[in-house]
Amino acid sequence: MYIALGILALVAVYLVVIYNGLVKARQMAEEAWSGIDVQLKRRADLIPNLIETVKGYAAHEKGTFEEVVRLRNQAQAVPAGDVAGRAQAEGMLSQALGKLFALAEAYPDLKANQNFSELQASLETIESEIQMSRRYYNGAARELNVKVETFPNNLVAGQFGFSKRDYFEITNEADRAVPTVKF
């Protein structure tokens, strides 16, 4: 009788340990996603200042400005939990920003403008932080996914509604390409 109760107690403790590990992994993934979200918000907030600075030098490039603004708004409209959708929208926005910076190459006065240089440096810093946040999130998502899929964790995960997370990655190969700008 005591042996059966001991075994039952060990099984219960083991299930609690598994459950708590799954909760911890899920919380780490949510925290990591919020880090990406913060950096993407910082970038989105910087974009209007960047566009206004460039507009004064390249007023006839209206289409590029409108595309960046449209893609910024589109990226911000993606639902919070849609990792794949957000990754795709942000990839397109990054490509449009590349076109905007390519415009600066055609306008030496703009490249020399201190405000533009500071905004560009800020954006480069944010892009670097987005990459670090993305790597952290993908690591946390991987940790959660492994816990959700491995035995015996998958038995507990299925019972309590734990599910895998999508990775934040560029899925469209065109988003990886260097933008071409023709004048």
Side-chain angles (χ1 to χ4, degrees):
M1 167 108 173
Y2 291 116
I3 293 175
L5 286 175
I7 290 172
L8 190 60
L10 283 175
V11 168
V13 167
Y14 188 65
L15 291 176
V16 168
V17 169
I18 290 174
Y19 179 82
N20 288 342
L22 287 165
V23 169
K24 180 181 176 187
R26 181 176 60 195
Q27 290 301 318
M28 293 292 287
E30 288 175 8
E31 175 205 355
W33 178 250
S34 73
I36 289 176
D37 206 34
V38 165
Q39 298 306 326
L40 294 175
K41 175 78 170 117
R42 286 180 60 207
R43 179 172 75 168
D45 291 346
L46 184 65
I47 289 172
N49 295 331
L50 188 62
I51 288 175
E52 287 304 314
T53 302
V54 177
K55 269 186 183 178
Y57 289 89
H60 62 283
E61 301 293 346
K62 184 178 179 185
T64 301
F65 305 136
E66 289 173 350
E67 180 183 11
V68 170
V69 170
R70 180 183 63 77
L71 291 171
R72 172 189 176 260
N73 293 338
Q74 184 178 330
Q76 288 186 310
V78 175
D82 186 0
V83 175
R86 188 72 179 261
Q88 182 179 8
E90 292 295 338
M92 292 187 309
L93 178 57
S94 292
Q95 193 172 19
L97 285 171
K99 290 178 186 176
L100 186 68
F101 284 124
L103 282 176
E105 297 298 321
Y107 297 94
D109 291 341
L110 174 59
K111 279 179 62 174
N113 179 291
Q114 183 177 358
N115 190 29
F116 177 77
S117 296
E118 289 171 3
L119 289 169
Q120 187 175 21
S122 294
L123 189 60
E124 288 171 6
T125 300
I126 291 171
E127 291 293 335
S128 175
E129 290 174 4
I130 289 170
Q131 292 305 316
M132 288 188 315
S133 296
R134 188 179 87 180
R135 283 191 295 272
Y136 178 70
Y137 168 77
N138 284 343
R142 180 189 64 244
E143 181 74 24
L144 176 63
N145 293 348
V146 167
K147 286 185 182 235
V148 166
E149 290 183 329
T150 57
F151 181 80
N153 292 8
N154 61 349
L155 301 175
V156 176
Q159 289 294 319
F160 291 99
F162 290 91
S163 59
K164 288 176 54 177
R165 290 280 177 129
D166 291 330
Y167 292 107
F168 189 81
E169 57 191 355
I170 296 174
T171 55
N172 183 354
E173 286 301 317
D175 292 341
R176 296 179 195 268
V178 176
T180 55
V181 177
K182 296 181 183 176
F183 298 101

PDB file of all heavy atoms in Angstrom, residues 110-143:
ATOM      1  N   LEU A 110      21.582  64.937 -48.920  1.00  0.00           N
ATOM      2  CA  LEU A 110      20.819  64.175 -47.938  1.00  0.00           C
ATOM      3  C   LEU A 110      21.756  63.301 -47.097  1.00  0.00           C
ATOM      4  O   LEU A 110      21.631  63.244 -45.878  1.00  0.00           O
ATOM      5  CB  LEU A 110      19.764  63.307 -48.626  1.00  0.00           C
ATOM      6  CG  LEU A 110      18.977  62.354 -47.733  1.00  0.00           C
ATOM      7  CD1 LEU A 110      18.231  63.112 -46.639  1.00  0.00           C
ATOM      8  CD2 LEU A 110      18.006  61.536 -48.559  1.00  0.00           C
ATOM      9  N   LYS A 111      22.694  62.644 -47.759  1.00  0.00           N
ATOM     10  CA  LYS A 111      23.645  61.808 -47.025  1.00  0.00           C
ATOM     11  C   LYS A 111      24.438  62.628 -46.010  1.00  0.00           C
ATOM     12  O   LYS A 111      24.804  62.130 -44.953  1.00  0.00           O
ATOM     13  CB  LYS A 111      24.616  61.127 -47.996  1.00  0.00           C
ATOM     14  CG  LYS A 111      24.030  59.896 -48.651  1.00  0.00           C
ATOM     15  CD  LYS A 111      24.998  59.259 -49.621  1.00  0.00           C
ATOM     16  CE  LYS A 111      26.237  58.789 -48.931  1.00  0.00           C
ATOM     17  NZ  LYS A 111      27.147  58.052 -49.805  1.00  0.00           N
ATOM     18  N   ALA A 112      24.683  63.890 -46.337  1.00  0.00           N
ATOM     19  CA  ALA A 112      25.471  64.756 -45.454  1.00  0.00           C
ATOM     20  C   ALA A 112      24.623  65.371 -44.346  1.00  0.00           C
ATOM     21  O   ALA A 112      25.156  65.919 -43.382  1.00  0.00           O
ATOM     22  CB  ALA A 112      26.140  65.862 -46.270  1.00  0.00           C
ATOM     23  N   ASN A 113      23.297  65.281 -44.456  1.00  0.00           N
ATOM     24  CA  ASN A 113      22.400  65.877 -43.473  1.00  0.00           C
ATOM     25  C   ASN A 113      22.540  65.146 -42.137  1.00  0.00           C
ATOM     26  O   ASN A 113      22.387  63.930 -42.057  1.00  0.00           O
ATOM     27  CB  ASN A 113      20.958  65.783 -43.986  1.00  0.00           C
ATOM     28  CG  ASN A 113      19.948  66.351 -43.030  1.00  0.00           C
ATOM     29  OD1 ASN A 113      19.717  65.792 -41.971  1.00  0.00           O
ATOM     30  ND2 ASN A 113      19.342  67.461 -43.410  1.00  0.00           N
ATOM     31  N   GLN A 114      22.825  65.903 -41.077  1.00  0.00           N
ATOM     32  CA  GLN A 114      23.074  65.296 -39.760  1.00  0.00           C
ATOM     33  C   GLN A 114      21.825  64.597 -39.226  1.00  0.00           C
ATOM     34  O   GLN A 114      21.910  63.513 -38.655  1.00  0.00           O
ATOM     35  CB  GLN A 114      23.534  66.358 -38.769  1.00  0.00           C
ATOM     36  CG  GLN A 114      23.864  65.767 -37.415  1.00  0.00           C
ATOM     37  CD  GLN A 114      24.382  66.799 -36.434  1.00  0.00           C
ATOM     38  OE1 GLN A 114      24.542  67.960 -36.767  1.00  0.00           O
ATOM     39  NE2 GLN A 114      24.636  66.360 -35.223  1.00  0.00           N
ATOM     40  N   ASN A 115      20.658  65.197 -39.421  1.00  0.00           N
ATOM     41  CA  ASN A 115      19.415  64.584 -38.947  1.00  0.00           C
ATOM     42  C   ASN A 115      19.191  63.231 -39.623  1.00  0.00           C
ATOM     43  O   ASN A 115      18.867  62.237 -38.969  1.00  0.00           O
ATOM     44  CB  ASN A 115      18.239  65.532 -39.211  1.00  0.00           C
ATOM     45  CG  ASN A 115      16.967  65.077 -38.532  1.00  0.00           C
ATOM     46  OD1 ASN A 115      16.997  64.430 -37.499  1.00  0.00           O
ATOM     47  ND2 ASN A 115      15.841  65.430 -39.130  1.00  0.00           N
ATOM     48  N   PHE A 116      19.402  63.191 -40.945  1.00  0.00           N
ATOM     49  CA  PHE A 116      19.251  61.930 -41.667  1.00  0.00           C
ATOM     50  C   PHE A 116      20.256  60.904 -41.168  1.00  0.00           C
ATOM     51  O   PHE A 116      19.919  59.735 -40.957  1.00  0.00           O
ATOM     52  CB  PHE A 116      19.401  62.146 -43.173  1.00  0.00           C
ATOM     53  CG  PHE A 116      19.315  60.869 -43.959  1.00  0.00           C
ATOM     54  CD1 PHE A 116      18.083  60.270 -44.195  1.00  0.00           C
ATOM     55  CD2 PHE A 116      20.452  60.242 -44.438  1.00  0.00           C
ATOM     56  CE1 PHE A 116      17.985  59.087 -44.898  1.00  0.00           C
ATOM     57  CE2 PHE A 116      20.371  59.048 -45.141  1.00  0.00           C
ATOM     58  CZ  PHE A 116      19.134  58.475 -45.376  1.00  0.00           C
ATOM     59  N   SER A 117      21.500  61.316 -40.978  1.00  0.00           N
ATOM     60  CA  SER A 117      22.539  60.403 -40.501  1.00  0.00           C
ATOM     61  C   SER A 117      22.185  59.822 -39.138  1.00  0.00           C
ATOM     62  O   SER A 117      22.379  58.636 -38.889  1.00  0.00           O
ATOM     63  CB  SER A 117      23.883  61.121 -40.418  1.00  0.00           C
ATOM     64  OG  SER A 117      24.293  61.519 -41.700  1.00  0.00           O
ATOM     65  N   GLU A 118      21.658  60.676 -38.255  1.00  0.00           N
ATOM     66  CA  GLU A 118      21.268  60.196 -36.923  1.00  0.00           C
ATOM     67  C   GLU A 118      20.093  59.225 -37.013  1.00  0.00           C
ATOM     68  O   GLU A 118      20.074  58.201 -36.324  1.00  0.00           O
ATOM     69  CB  GLU A 118      20.913  61.379 -36.021  1.00  0.00           C
ATOM     70  CG  GLU A 118      22.112  62.204 -35.616  1.00  0.00           C
ATOM     71  CD  GLU A 118      21.741  63.493 -34.892  1.00  0.00           C
ATOM     72  OE1 GLU A 118      20.535  63.737 -34.655  1.00  0.00           O
ATOM     73  OE2 GLU A 118      22.663  64.252 -34.570  1.00  0.00           O
ATOM     74  N   LEU A 119      19.114  59.550 -37.862  1.00  0.00           N
ATOM     75  CA  LEU A 119      17.968  58.655 -38.026  1.00  0.00           C
ATOM     76  C   LEU A 119      18.408  57.322 -38.628  1.00  0.00           C
ATOM     77  O   LEU A 119      17.956  56.255 -38.200  1.00  0.00           O
ATOM     78  CB  LEU A 119      16.909  59.313 -38.910  1.00  0.00           C
ATOM     79  CG  LEU A 119      16.151  60.480 -38.285  1.00  0.00           C
ATOM     80  CD1 LEU A 119      15.334  61.204 -39.346  1.00  0.00           C
ATOM     81  CD2 LEU A 119      15.243  59.995 -37.168  1.00  0.00           C
ATOM     82  N   GLN A 120      19.290  57.388 -39.607  1.00  0.00           N
ATOM     83  CA  GLN A 120      19.784  56.164 -40.233  1.00  0.00           C
ATOM     84  C   GLN A 120      20.555  55.320 -39.224  1.00  0.00           C
ATOM     85  O   GLN A 120      20.382  54.099 -39.159  1.00  0.00           O
ATOM     86  CB  GLN A 120      20.663  56.503 -41.439  1.00  0.00           C
ATOM     87  CG  GLN A 120      21.064  55.287 -42.241  1.00  0.00           C
ATOM     88  CD  GLN A 120      21.837  55.663 -43.494  1.00  0.00           C
ATOM     89  OE1 GLN A 120      22.403  56.736 -43.593  1.00  0.00           O
ATOM     90  NE2 GLN A 120      21.860  54.760 -44.454  1.00  0.00           N
ATOM     91  N   ALA A 121      21.385  55.963 -38.415  1.00  0.00           N
ATOM     92  CA  ALA A 121      22.135  55.229 -37.385  1.00  0.00           C
ATOM     93  C   ALA A 121      21.186  54.601 -36.364  1.00  0.00           C
ATOM     94  O   ALA A 121      21.380  53.459 -35.936  1.00  0.00           O
ATOM     95  CB  ALA A 121      23.131  56.153 -36.696  1.00  0.00           C
ATOM     96  N   SER A 122      20.144  55.349 -35.986  1.00  0.00           N
ATOM     97  CA  SER A 122      19.149  54.812 -35.038  1.00  0.00           C
ATOM     98  C   SER A 122      18.449  53.599 -35.629  1.00  0.00           C
ATOM     99  O   SER A 122      18.237  52.595 -34.944  1.00  0.00           O
ATOM    100  CB  SER A 122      18.117  55.874 -34.689  1.00  0.00           C
ATOM    101  OG  SER A 122      18.698  56.922 -33.972  1.00  0.00           O
ATOM    102  N   LEU A 123      18.089  53.704 -36.901  1.00  0.00           N
ATOM    103  CA  LEU A 123      17.405  52.589 -37.547  1.00  0.00           C
ATOM    104  C   LEU A 123      18.320  51.369 -37.653  1.00  0.00           C
ATOM    105  O   LEU A 123      17.887  50.241 -37.427  1.00  0.00           O
ATOM    106  CB  LEU A 123      16.893  52.999 -38.928  1.00  0.00           C
ATOM    107  CG  LEU A 123      15.979  51.994 -39.606  1.00  0.00           C
ATOM    108  CD1 LEU A 123      14.724  51.741 -38.768  1.00  0.00           C
ATOM    109  CD2 LEU A 123      15.584  52.469 -40.984  1.00  0.00           C
ATOM    110  N   GLU A 124      19.590  51.588 -37.949  1.00  0.00           N
ATOM    111  CA  GLU A 124      20.527  50.473 -38.015  1.00  0.00           C
ATOM    112  C   GLU A 124      20.671  49.800 -36.653  1.00  0.00           C
ATOM    113  O   GLU A 124      20.741  48.571 -36.563  1.00  0.00           O
ATOM    114  CB  GLU A 124      21.883  50.961 -38.525  1.00  0.00           C
ATOM    115  CG  GLU A 124      21.868  51.300 -40.004  1.00  0.00           C
ATOM    116  CD  GLU A 124      23.143  51.980 -40.479  1.00  0.00           C
ATOM    117  OE1 GLU A 124      24.101  52.099 -39.688  1.00  0.00           O
ATOM    118  OE2 GLU A 124      23.169  52.395 -41.647  1.00  0.00           O
ATOM    119  N   THR A 125      20.697  50.596 -35.585  1.00  0.00           N
ATOM    120  CA  THR A 125      20.768  50.038 -34.237  1.00  0.00           C
ATOM    121  C   THR A 125      19.518  49.214 -33.936  1.00  0.00           C
ATOM    122  O   THR A 125      19.601  48.098 -33.408  1.00  0.00           O
ATOM    123  CB  THR A 125      20.916  51.166 -33.195  1.00  0.00           C
ATOM    124  OG1 THR A 125      22.116  51.884 -33.470  1.00  0.00           O
ATOM    125  CG2 THR A 125      20.952  50.621 -31.781  1.00  0.00           C
ATOM    126  N   ILE A 126      18.362  49.760 -34.287  1.00  0.00           N
ATOM    127  CA  ILE A 126      17.099  49.045 -34.053  1.00  0.00           C
ATOM    128  C   ILE A 126      17.069  47.749 -34.855  1.00  0.00           C
ATOM    129  O   ILE A 126      16.635  46.704 -34.356  1.00  0.00           O
ATOM    130  CB  ILE A 126      15.893  49.944 -34.369  1.00  0.00           C
ATOM    131  CG1 ILE A 126      15.794  51.060 -33.325  1.00  0.00           C
ATOM    132  CG2 ILE A 126      14.602  49.133 -34.418  1.00  0.00           C
ATOM    133  CD1 ILE A 126      14.783  52.134 -33.661  1.00  0.00           C
ATOM    134  N   GLU A 127      17.526  47.792 -36.108  1.00  0.00           N
ATOM    135  CA  GLU A 127      17.547  46.583 -36.934  1.00  0.00           C
ATOM    136  C   GLU A 127      18.425  45.510 -36.276  1.00  0.00           C
ATOM    137  O   GLU A 127      18.068  44.333 -36.261  1.00  0.00           O
ATOM    138  CB  GLU A 127      18.055  46.889 -38.346  1.00  0.00           C
ATOM    139  CG  GLU A 127      17.115  47.730 -39.179  1.00  0.00           C
ATOM    140  CD  GLU A 127      15.813  47.047 -39.536  1.00  0.00           C
ATOM    141  OE1 GLU A 127      15.752  45.797 -39.575  1.00  0.00           O
ATOM    142  OE2 GLU A 127      14.829  47.760 -39.775  1.00  0.00           O
ATOM    143  N   SER A 128      19.543  45.927 -35.724  1.00  0.00           N
ATOM    144  CA  SER A 128      20.421  44.984 -35.025  1.00  0.00           C
ATOM    145  C   SER A 128      19.720  44.400 -33.799  1.00  0.00           C
ATOM    146  O   SER A 128      19.804  43.193 -33.531  1.00  0.00           O
ATOM    147  CB  SER A 128      21.709  45.699 -34.616  1.00  0.00           C
ATOM    148  OG  SER A 128      22.516  44.854 -33.858  1.00  0.00           O
ATOM    149  N   GLU A 129      19.007  45.240 -33.067  1.00  0.00           N
ATOM    150  CA  GLU A 129      18.280  44.765 -31.884  1.00  0.00           C
ATOM    151  C   GLU A 129      17.122  43.854 -32.270  1.00  0.00           C
ATOM    152  O   GLU A 129      16.807  42.909 -31.544  1.00  0.00           O
ATOM    153  CB  GLU A 129      17.812  45.956 -31.054  1.00  0.00           C
ATOM    154  CG  GLU A 129      18.976  46.670 -30.385  1.00  0.00           C
ATOM    155  CD  GLU A 129      18.586  47.946 -29.671  1.00  0.00           C
ATOM    156  OE1 GLU A 129      17.383  48.279 -29.612  1.00  0.00           O
ATOM    157  OE2 GLU A 129      19.501  48.623 -29.176  1.00  0.00           O
ATOM    158  N   ILE A 130      16.503  44.118 -33.412  1.00  0.00           N
ATOM    159  CA  ILE A 130      15.444  43.225 -33.903  1.00  0.00           C
ATOM    160  C   ILE A 130      16.035  41.850 -34.186  1.00  0.00           C
ATOM    161  O   ILE A 130      15.442  40.824 -33.829  1.00  0.00           O
ATOM    162  CB  ILE A 130      14.754  43.797 -35.163  1.00  0.00           C
ATOM    163  CG1 ILE A 130      13.895  45.015 -34.796  1.00  0.00           C
ATOM    164  CG2 ILE A 130      13.905  42.735 -35.859  1.00  0.00           C
ATOM    165  CD1 ILE A 130      13.368  45.783 -35.992  1.00  0.00           C
ATOM    166  N   GLN A 131      17.212  41.814 -34.798  1.00  0.00           N
ATOM    167  CA  GLN A 131      17.854  40.537 -35.084  1.00  0.00           C
ATOM    168  C   GLN A 131      18.171  39.770 -33.802  1.00  0.00           C
ATOM    169  O   GLN A 131      17.951  38.566 -33.716  1.00  0.00           O
ATOM    170  CB  GLN A 131      19.136  40.752 -35.907  1.00  0.00           C
ATOM    171  CG  GLN A 131      18.879  41.240 -37.311  1.00  0.00           C
ATOM    172  CD  GLN A 131      17.944  40.335 -38.088  1.00  0.00           C
ATOM    173  OE1 GLN A 131      18.060  39.112 -38.054  1.00  0.00           O
ATOM    174  NE2 GLN A 131      16.980  40.926 -38.764  1.00  0.00           N
ATOM    175  N   MET A 132      18.686  40.487 -32.796  1.00  0.00           N
ATOM    176  CA  MET A 132      18.977  39.826 -31.516  1.00  0.00           C
ATOM    177  C   MET A 132      17.693  39.328 -30.869  1.00  0.00           C
ATOM    178  O   MET A 132      17.640  38.206 -30.353  1.00  0.00           O
ATOM    179  CB  MET A 132      19.710  40.787 -30.573  1.00  0.00           C
ATOM    180  CG  MET A 132      21.134  41.061 -30.983  1.00  0.00           C
ATOM    181  SD  MET A 132      22.117  41.994 -29.796  1.00  0.00           S
ATOM    182  CE  MET A 132      21.057  43.312 -29.292  1.00  0.00           C
ATOM    183  N   SER A 133      16.641  40.140 -30.905  1.00  0.00           N
ATOM    184  CA  SER A 133      15.357  39.733 -30.325  1.00  0.00           C
ATOM    185  C   SER A 133      14.782  38.539 -31.068  1.00  0.00           C
ATOM    186  O   SER A 133      14.209  37.636 -30.463  1.00  0.00           O
ATOM    187  CB  SER A 133      14.366  40.896 -30.366  1.00  0.00           C
ATOM    188  OG  SER A 133      14.801  41.953 -29.570  1.00  0.00           O
ATOM    189  N   ARG A 134      14.942  38.549 -32.378  1.00  0.00           N
ATOM    190  CA  ARG A 134      14.435  37.447 -33.186  1.00  0.00           C
ATOM    191  C   ARG A 134      15.157  36.151 -32.839  1.00  0.00           C
ATOM    192  O   ARG A 134      14.528  35.098 -32.693  1.00  0.00           O
ATOM    193  CB  ARG A 134      14.595  37.758 -34.670  1.00  0.00           C
ATOM    194  CG  ARG A 134      13.905  36.731 -35.551  1.00  0.00           C
ATOM    195  CD  ARG A 134      14.047  37.070 -36.980  1.00  0.00           C
ATOM    196  NE  ARG A 134      15.298  36.474 -37.431  1.00  0.00           N
ATOM    197  CZ  ARG A 134      15.756  36.578 -38.652  1.00  0.00           C
ATOM    198  NH1 ARG A 134      15.119  37.288 -39.544  1.00  0.00           N
ATOM    199  NH2 ARG A 134      16.869  35.978 -38.989  1.00  0.00           N
ATOM    200  N   ARG A 135      16.473  36.216 -32.670  1.00  0.00           N
ATOM    201  CA  ARG A 135      17.218  35.011 -32.302  1.00  0.00           C
ATOM    202  C   ARG A 135      16.785  34.509 -30.920  1.00  0.00           C
ATOM    203  O   ARG A 135      16.634  33.308 -30.708  1.00  0.00           O
ATOM    204  CB  ARG A 135      18.724  35.288 -32.336  1.00  0.00           C
ATOM    205  CG  ARG A 135      19.291  35.323 -33.739  1.00  0.00           C
ATOM    206  CD  ARG A 135      20.805  35.320 -33.750  1.00  0.00           C
ATOM    207  NE  ARG A 135      21.402  36.488 -33.161  1.00  0.00           N
ATOM    208  CZ  ARG A 135      21.673  37.624 -33.806  1.00  0.00           C
ATOM    209  NH1 ARG A 135      21.381  37.726 -35.079  1.00  0.00           N
ATOM    210  NH2 ARG A 135      22.224  38.629 -33.183  1.00  0.00           N
ATOM    211  N   TYR A 136      16.587  35.433 -29.989  1.00  0.00           N
ATOM    212  CA  TYR A 136      16.153  35.050 -28.643  1.00  0.00           C
ATOM    213  C   TYR A 136      14.767  34.407 -28.700  1.00  0.00           C
ATOM    214  O   TYR A 136      14.529  33.356 -28.096  1.00  0.00           O
ATOM    215  CB  TYR A 136      16.149  36.271 -27.724  1.00  0.00           C
ATOM    216  CG  TYR A 136      15.660  35.985 -26.329  1.00  0.00           C
ATOM    217  CD1 TYR A 136      16.410  35.218 -25.443  1.00  0.00           C
ATOM    218  CD2 TYR A 136      14.439  36.485 -25.887  1.00  0.00           C
ATOM    219  CE1 TYR A 136      15.956  34.952 -24.161  1.00  0.00           C
ATOM    220  CE2 TYR A 136      13.982  36.224 -24.608  1.00  0.00           C
ATOM    221  CZ  TYR A 136      14.744  35.459 -23.758  1.00  0.00           C
ATOM    222  OH  TYR A 136      14.284  35.201 -22.499  1.00  0.00           O
ATOM    223  N   TYR A 137      13.850  35.023 -29.449  1.00  0.00           N
ATOM    224  CA  TYR A 137      12.500  34.468 -29.572  1.00  0.00           C
ATOM    225  C   TYR A 137      12.550  33.081 -30.201  1.00  0.00           C
ATOM    226  O   TYR A 137      11.906  32.143 -29.720  1.00  0.00           O
ATOM    227  CB  TYR A 137      11.594  35.380 -30.407  1.00  0.00           C
ATOM    228  CG  TYR A 137      10.303  34.697 -30.771  1.00  0.00           C
ATOM    229  CD1 TYR A 137       9.283  34.570 -29.837  1.00  0.00           C
ATOM    230  CD2 TYR A 137      10.121  34.107 -32.026  1.00  0.00           C
ATOM    231  CE1 TYR A 137       8.113  33.892 -30.149  1.00  0.00           C
ATOM    232  CE2 TYR A 137       8.962  33.438 -32.339  1.00  0.00           C
ATOM    233  CZ  TYR A 137       7.963  33.332 -31.399  1.00  0.00           C
ATOM    234  OH  TYR A 137       6.814  32.655 -31.707  1.00  0.00           O
ATOM    235  N   ASN A 138      13.297  32.934 -31.292  1.00  0.00           N
ATOM    236  CA  ASN A 138      13.362  31.639 -31.967  1.00  0.00           C
ATOM    237  C   ASN A 138      13.942  30.569 -31.047  1.00  0.00           C
ATOM    238  O   ASN A 138      13.514  29.417 -31.085  1.00  0.00           O
ATOM    239  CB  ASN A 138      14.150  31.745 -33.272  1.00  0.00           C
ATOM    240  CG  ASN A 138      13.342  32.414 -34.376  1.00  0.00           C
ATOM    241  OD1 ASN A 138      12.123  32.518 -34.299  1.00  0.00           O
ATOM    242  ND2 ASN A 138      14.022  32.883 -35.396  1.00  0.00           N
ATOM    243  N   GLY A 139      14.908  30.938 -30.204  1.00  0.00           N
ATOM    244  CA  GLY A 139      15.444  29.990 -29.224  1.00  0.00           C
ATOM    245  C   GLY A 139      14.399  29.598 -28.196  1.00  0.00           C
ATOM    246  O   GLY A 139      14.273  28.418 -27.840  1.00  0.00           O
ATOM    247  N   ALA A 140      13.636  30.581 -27.723  1.00  0.00           N
ATOM    248  CA  ALA A 140      12.576  30.291 -26.746  1.00  0.00           C
ATOM    249  C   ALA A 140      11.470  29.456 -27.390  1.00  0.00           C
ATOM    250  O   ALA A 140      10.931  28.531 -26.762  1.00  0.00           O
ATOM    251  CB  ALA A 140      12.012  31.597 -26.180  1.00  0.00           C
ATOM    252  N   ALA A 141      11.135  29.763 -28.648  1.00  0.00           N
ATOM    253  CA  ALA A 141      10.124  28.985 -29.359  1.00  0.00           C
ATOM    254  C   ALA A 141      10.613  27.546 -29.569  1.00  0.00           C
ATOM    255  O   ALA A 141       9.848  26.595 -29.396  1.00  0.00           O
ATOM    256  CB  ALA A 141       9.794  29.638 -30.704  1.00  0.00           C
ATOM    257  N   ARG A 142      11.894  27.399 -29.914  1.00  0.00           N
ATOM    258  CA  ARG A 142      12.466  26.058 -30.092  1.00  0.00           C
ATOM    259  C   ARG A 142      12.373  25.265 -28.789  1.00  0.00           C
ATOM    260  O   ARG A 142      11.974  24.098 -28.775  1.00  0.00           O
ATOM    261  CB  ARG A 142      13.918  26.162 -30.559  1.00  0.00           C
ATOM    262  CG  ARG A 142      14.575  24.800 -30.768  1.00  0.00           C
ATOM    263  CD  ARG A 142      16.070  24.877 -31.022  1.00  0.00           C
ATOM    264  NE  ARG A 142      16.731  25.414 -29.840  1.00  0.00           N
ATOM    265  CZ  ARG A 142      17.406  26.571 -29.793  1.00  0.00           C
ATOM    266  NH1 ARG A 142      17.541  27.312 -30.859  1.00  0.00           N
ATOM    267  NH2 ARG A 142      17.974  26.976 -28.670  1.00  0.00           N
ATOM    268  N   GLU A 143      12.725  25.917 -27.674  1.00  0.00           N
ATOM    269  CA  GLU A 143      12.673  25.249 -26.364  1.00  0.00           C
ATOM    270  C   GLU A 143      11.247  24.787 -26.045  1.00  0.00           C
ATOM    271  O   GLU A 143      11.032  23.651 -25.609  1.00  0.00           O
ATOM    272  CB  GLU A 143      13.177  26.214 -25.288  1.00  0.00           C
ATOM    273  CG  GLU A 143      13.185  25.646 -23.903  1.00  0.00           C
ATOM    274  CD  GLU A 143      14.291  24.638 -23.673  1.00  0.00           C
ATOM    275  OE1 GLU A 143      15.309  24.678 -24.389  1.00  0.00           O
ATOM    276  OE2 GLU A 143      14.123  23.805 -22.772  1.00  0.00           O
TER     277      GLU A 143
END
